[in-house]
Amino acid sequence: MISFLIFISVFLFMECVTWLTHKYVMHGLMWYFHEDHHQPKYAHPFERNDIFFVIFAIPSIVLFYFGVEGGLNYLFFIGLGITTYGFCYFMIHDVLIHQRFKWFKNTKNKYLVGLRKAHKVHHKHLGKEDGECFGMLFVPFKYYKM
């Protein structure tokens, strides 16, 4: 039971980490890597922005290693929470919203449509300033009503 609570807590906490990282790191110090993601058309199948998947994968890999090495301890479930959030982020952000993979083109689900609208509002700003909606899985309710 405690393992599940660790996993779900980390998963939910990752939304806060994502929001803070997106607002203050991606739209700040590491804008160089994120800038191409805000351009209307991608010149390549991969973006410099994809480096953030690697950055977030490193702690997960380390936590999995030490979590298994220690006999499937709490570190494993922290890594699992981070990895699961990363998978959800990939499915929502790259597959559903940006259609980098054409798997889910037409959804009528209010939650997913709301996520899409909020992210479009985020991308209307091509520069690093004046951004809004920096989270991924939790967005303001007003986007579900639009």
Side-chain angles (χ1 to χ4, degrees), residues 21-68:
T21 302
H22 193 175
K23 181 170 176 76
Y24 296 110
V25 176
M26 294 178 178
H27 281 255
L29 178 68
M30 296 183 80
W31 175 248
Y32 169 78
F33 293 103
H34 189 60
E35 181 178 19
D36 66 338
H37 180 66
H38 277 265
Q39 301 315 306
K41 296 287 180 190
Y42 307 128
H44 307 284
F46 293 100
E47 309 167 3
R48 287 189 308 263
N49 185 64
D50 293 333
I51 191 72
F52 293 107
F53 283 109
V54 175
I55 290 169
F56 278 106
I58 291 170
S60 293
I61 293 166
V62 170
L63 287 162
F64 278 136
Y65 175 79
F66 287 110
V68 170

Side-chain angles (χ1 to χ4, degrees), residues 15 18 22 26-27 33-34 36-38 42 47 49-50 52-53 85-101 103-104 111-112 115-116 118-120 122-123 133-137 139:
E15 180 70 6
T18 298
H22 193 175
M26 294 178 178
H27 281 255
F33 293 103
H34 189 60
D36 66 338
H37 180 66
H38 277 265
Y42 307 128
E47 309 167 3
N49 185 64
D50 293 333
F52 293 107
F53 283 109
Y85 182 88
F87 176 76
C88 291
Y89 187 100
F90 167 77
M91 292 301 290
I92 296 293
H93 185 262
D94 291 298
V95 175
L96 180 75
I97 294 172
H98 288 290
Q99 300 284 310
R100 287 175 75 179
F101 302 91
W103 298 339
F104 305 108
Y111 170 71
L112 298 177
L115 288 176
R116 228 177 176 168
H119 203 73
K120 286 184 182 198
H122 175 76
H123 274 271
C133 297
F134 290 97
M136 179 51 50
L137 300 179
V139 296

